[in-house]
Structures are given as structure tokens and as C-alpha cells.
Amino acid sequence: MADGVKPRVKVPKQASAGDTITIKTLISHKMESGQRKDKEGNVIPRSIINRFVAEFNGETVIDVTLEPAISTNPYFEFEAVVPESGDFTFTWYDDDGDVYTTTKSISVG
Amino acid sequence: MTKKAISLGILALAVGAGSGAYAGPDDDSLVINDELEMVTETAAPAHMEGIDTIYSGWRFRTDETQSLQLDDFDNPAMLTVDQAIDAYSEVDGSENESCASCHGDVESFAGLSAAMPKVKDGNLVTLEDEINNCRSTRMGAEEWKWSGQDMQGMVALIGLQSRGMPVDVAIDGDAAPFWEKGKEIYYTRYGQLELSCASCHEENYGNMIRADHLSQGQINGFPTYRLKQARLISRHNRFRGCIRDTRAHTFAEGSDEFRALELYVLSRSNGLSVETPAVRQ
């Protein structure tokens, strides 16, 4: 696992049925582009988060492909309509094969 | 006659440009996480002669920059603060101690940053001094560099416990000589450009200095996340940057001069809320 990786998510705890809610996500990650060289002139290998997926009760809300030009600590803010109570699952896929997952519940009343 | 008319024309133009460029603090109010209301404008402390009302630097920033401070999730400084939370309870050094093993919960530091720097045993002591003192004498750990992210992350974490409280540093008694020294530095013109702190932050706040909207230079939000540097910036680092921009040799971070200046400048924030960690341009 790359150093200092920590997923963070902000989802409202409650909403009304059919509400549009705002979701914020951020994962701390150095997002090494693969374009830089170290002091000896060797290329520093690429190490980025290459995919981000958000699901609600198993249904895909957003599926993002990330490219090396995206800066450190990638942040996503998006909206979703919640029809019922359930769980959001957020998944980040790292170049080194690691997968980071966070789950947040929301109750719809 | 013609010559006179032209020079008058230029004068009128210069005055017009000058007044057009002035745009003081905006009217926005700062409420963090929809619940913590901050004082960003209040009557200046009695010791200040040149200014009637003090404003947080937040009021001089663009809406986009301001919005980053409204929600802790959006505040990029919180990433470093998160690392400091981990470091707080992490054992380091030869004595097998962490910050938490003596101080317990970090919330016990509520109010401390609002009253620092203060005088202890005849020395003016900043939070950085206290942290390094603990690290070297109690933990047997290596001291942190003044403006390193581990140091400033910890200063920000401890400052966060006082967020929303009014800045209230003592300037009388033991602190008086240090405060006087800081005041002298504040009003001394430095460098080839011969600028003092007051030249910009007292006489010209609200005006533009090239592309930058001058604030009053309040330091109630430090350590501050500066977007241009993309990391937490210490008070002394900011002092150094300003003095360097006057094309002077600057004092060093952690020097007695900057400790005194920190006390004086912070005393100009007395009454504003502690905003640590703030976000600025």
C-alpha cells in the first residue's frame, strides 16, 4: 500500500425520498504521474488511483477513470438522488493493485 | 499652458485609478461547518492607533478561496491536521512517550493557542517552542523544523482546539518589553523598497499590491493553508516572505525578532476569532 492513503467521504445521514444530495469524496494519495525523474535521472514509476466507483445498494452511481494529469489527493463532488434508505459504497483502485473501500449509510424518511 | 493641462490630466487619471482599485473587506460572514460562527470584524484593540476596525484576512479573499474554509471537508489543511492526530498518539523517541501519554485528549488544549505566545521564565515562548521542548526533554525525540509539515500540522491541531475563541494575548507585565520590540519591528522600514509592515497592512489594506488584495495582515488563522504553496505555512515563514519581498535580508524563522513580531502582530488580532487552520490564496 502506498504511504498515507486515507479515503474520506461526506454523505448526509438523512434525506427525504427523491432528494438530490451532494456527496463529497477525497482520498489522500500522492498521484505520482510517471513523468518525473529523481535526482539520479531515473523515471519515478507511475503510481496513481486509476479508477473510482460509487455505488448505492449495488447500483452504480458514478464510475470514473483517472489519468496521470490528475493532481494529488483527488477530490470528487457529485450529486445523487436517493429513492430509499441504503448504503453508499465508494471504491478506489490503486495502480499497485490495492483497493480502498468505504461505506456510508443514509436513512430516507 | 498646454503642459500644465496635460499634467493635470495625468493627475486626475492617477487619482481615478487609485480610488477605483480600492475595495475593502467584503460583507460575507464566516460560519464554519454551518454551526461555528466566527468574528471576522470587530473594534480594534485599544493599543492600535492607525486602525479603528480589524478584519480577518478571510474578508479580503475571493469567494472561491473563502468557500474552502466554510467546510472542514473542503479545507485542505485538514489533511495535514489528520496526520497530526495520528502523530499525537504515536510514541516517538527514547523515552517511550507520545503527546497523548502526558496530555491525554487533544481537546485539553482548548484556549491555549488563543493566548500564545506568552512569557515563561523570562523568555517569550511560542507553540513551536513548547512542542520542541516536549519532544527533546520529555520524549527524547528529534526536534522538528520550525516550518516542517509535522510541526505545523501539530501547531494547527492544537490551534484547532481554540477555533472560534477570541484571540487574547497578554501584552502587559512580563510581555511588555517583547511587545515593544515587536512593535518597533512592525513600524521599521526594511529592504531596498523601504517598506514596513504598516506601509502595506495598516496604511494600504484594501488596495491592490500588483495582483494581490492587501489585508490587514492579521495572523489569527495561522498556520494557514496557502493555495500557492499547497501546504501549511507558519507565521514566521509568512513574516520571512513579506520581509524578503521588501528586498531585505530577513530574520530567521524561530529568531527572537520574529517571536517578538509574532506577539505584536497577534496582539493586533485581539478580539478576532482564532481561525486555525485558515485557507488563503
Side-chain angles (χ1 to χ4, degrees):
Chain A
M1 182 172 140
D3 286 344
V5 178
K6 186 174 170 190
R8 298 167 172 80
V9 178
K10 188 171 182 182
V11 178
K13 287 192 177 64
Q14 290 171 337
S16 307
D19 265 5
T20 303
I21 60 163
T22 301
I23 296 170
K24 296 174 177 180
T25 75
L26 184 151
I27 187 162
S28 48
H29 193 282
K30 59 184 176 351
M31 295 293 275
E32 186 60 56
S33 70
Q35 305 289 329
R36 300 197 305 160
K37 290 176 178 173
D38 63 17
K39 278 180 199 148
E40 283 77 43
N42 305 311
V43 171
I44 304 171
R46 183 183 122 161
S47 169
I48 68 167
I49 299 281
N50 56 48
R51 184 176 174 219
F52 167 68
V53 180
E55 290 177 328
F56 182 65
N57 289 346
E59 194 183 335
T60 303
V61 178
I62 190 171
D63 189 340
V64 185
T65 303
L66 285 81
E67 303 290 352
I70 294 176
S71 339
T72 185
N73 306 333
Y75 171 93
F76 289 107
E77 180 176 332
F78 53 94
E79 293 178 340
V81 179
V82 282
E84 67 215 13
S85 299
D87 299 325
F88 277 99
T89 308
F90 305 91
T91 316
W92 292 262
Y93 296 85
D94 198 323
D95 266 353
D96 62 14
D98 280 326
V99 176
Y100 317 103
T101 306
T102 301
T103 306
K104 289 277 175 183
S105 303
I106 183 166
S107 68
V108 172
Chain B
M1 182 64 206
T2 327
K3 226 178 190 177
K4 200 173 179 186
I6 289 170
S7 59
L8 272 176
I10 290 170
L11 188 70
L13 196 71
V15 169
S19 61
Y22 179 83
D26 65 14
D27 295 324
D28 295 340
S29 54
L30 175 55
V31 181
I32 294 177
N33 298 336
D34 290 328
E35 56 182 25
L36 184 59
E37 209 165 310
M38 312 291 271
V39 177
T40 59
E41 172 179 352
T42 189
H47 67 78
M48 282 170 72
E49 287 142 22
I51 290 180
D52 297 328
T53 309
I54 51 175
Y55 301 97
S56 160
W58 184 83
R59 297 275 296 275
F60 293 84
R61 304 278 59 94
T62 60
D63 287 348
E64 293 83 355
T65 306
Q66 286 182 335
S67 71
L68 290 171
Q69 212 184 310
L70 296 180
D71 184 345
D72 282 348
F73 195 91
D74 296 334
N75 186 336
M78 290 303 171
L79 292 169
T80 317
V81 171
D82 269 2
Q83 287 165 3
I85 291 173
D86 294 340
Y88 184 81
S89 45
E90 204 171 278
V91 172
D92 195 5
S94 56
E95 304 300 313
N96 208 23
E97 301 268 19
S98 71
C99 308
S101 42
C102 289
H103 295 284
D105 200 301
V106 70
E107 284 171 19
S108 63
F109 285 107
L112 179 68
S113 295
M116 294 286 284
K118 61 172 81 168
V119 177
K120 273 190 176 173
D121 305 327
N123 295 314
L124 186 62
V125 175
T126 66
L127 202 50
E128 284 90 344
D129 293 320
E130 293 281 43
I131 290 170
N132 265 345
N133 180 31
C134 268
R135 286 187 63 80
S136 57
T137 60
R138 291 179 194 274
M139 295 168 69
E142 215 170 289
E143 293 194 356
W144 279 333
K145 277 190 183 157
W146 197 275
S147 288
Q149 290 307 280
D150 35 17
M151 172 62 94
Q152 290 308 317
M154 192 60 75
V155 174
L157 173 63
I158 293 170
L160 179 63
Q161 312 310 315
S162 307
R163 189 167 67 174
M165 298 179 186
V167 175
D168 185 20
V169 287
I171 62 172
D172 47 5
D174 291 352
F178 297 102
W179 184 81
E180 289 291 347
K181 183 179 171 189
K183 184 175 181 181
E184 190 191 324
I185 294 172
Y186 190 89
Y187 285 101
T188 301
R189 290 174 178 268
Y190 289 102
Q192 290 178 321
L193 298 184
E194 292 188 24
L195 292 170
S196 70
C197 307
S199 309
C200 291
H201 295 293
E202 183 167 294
E203 293 158 24
N204 278 296
Y205 70 88
N207 289 331
M208 302 297 284
I209 182 162
R210 301 179 74 183
D212 196 15
H213 191 199
L214 279 172
S215 72
Q216 290 182 341
Q218 302 287 359
I219 56 171
N220 53 316
F222 276 82
T224 284
Y225 188 92
R226 288 194 90 209
L227 298 170
K228 104 176 196 184
Q229 280 140 318
R231 60 196 182 95
L232 278 178
I233 299 301
S234 68
R235 285 167 176 157
H236 290 199
N237 182 312
R238 197 71 276 278
F239 291 159
R240 201 167 55 93
C242 261
I243 297 187
R244 179 204 57 212
D245 290 348
T246 70
R247 300 184 193 163
H249 283 290
T250 89
F251 303 111
E253 292 171 7
S255 61
D256 287 345
E257 287 84 357
F258 275 172
R259 280 195 186 83
L261 186 61
E262 179 174 344
L263 174 66
Y264 175 70
V265 178
L266 196 58
S267 79
R268 295 171 68 95
S269 300
N270 272 354
L272 292 174
S273 299
V274 175
E275 275 178 43
T276 309
V279 184
R280 299 289 185 261
Q281 79 287 18

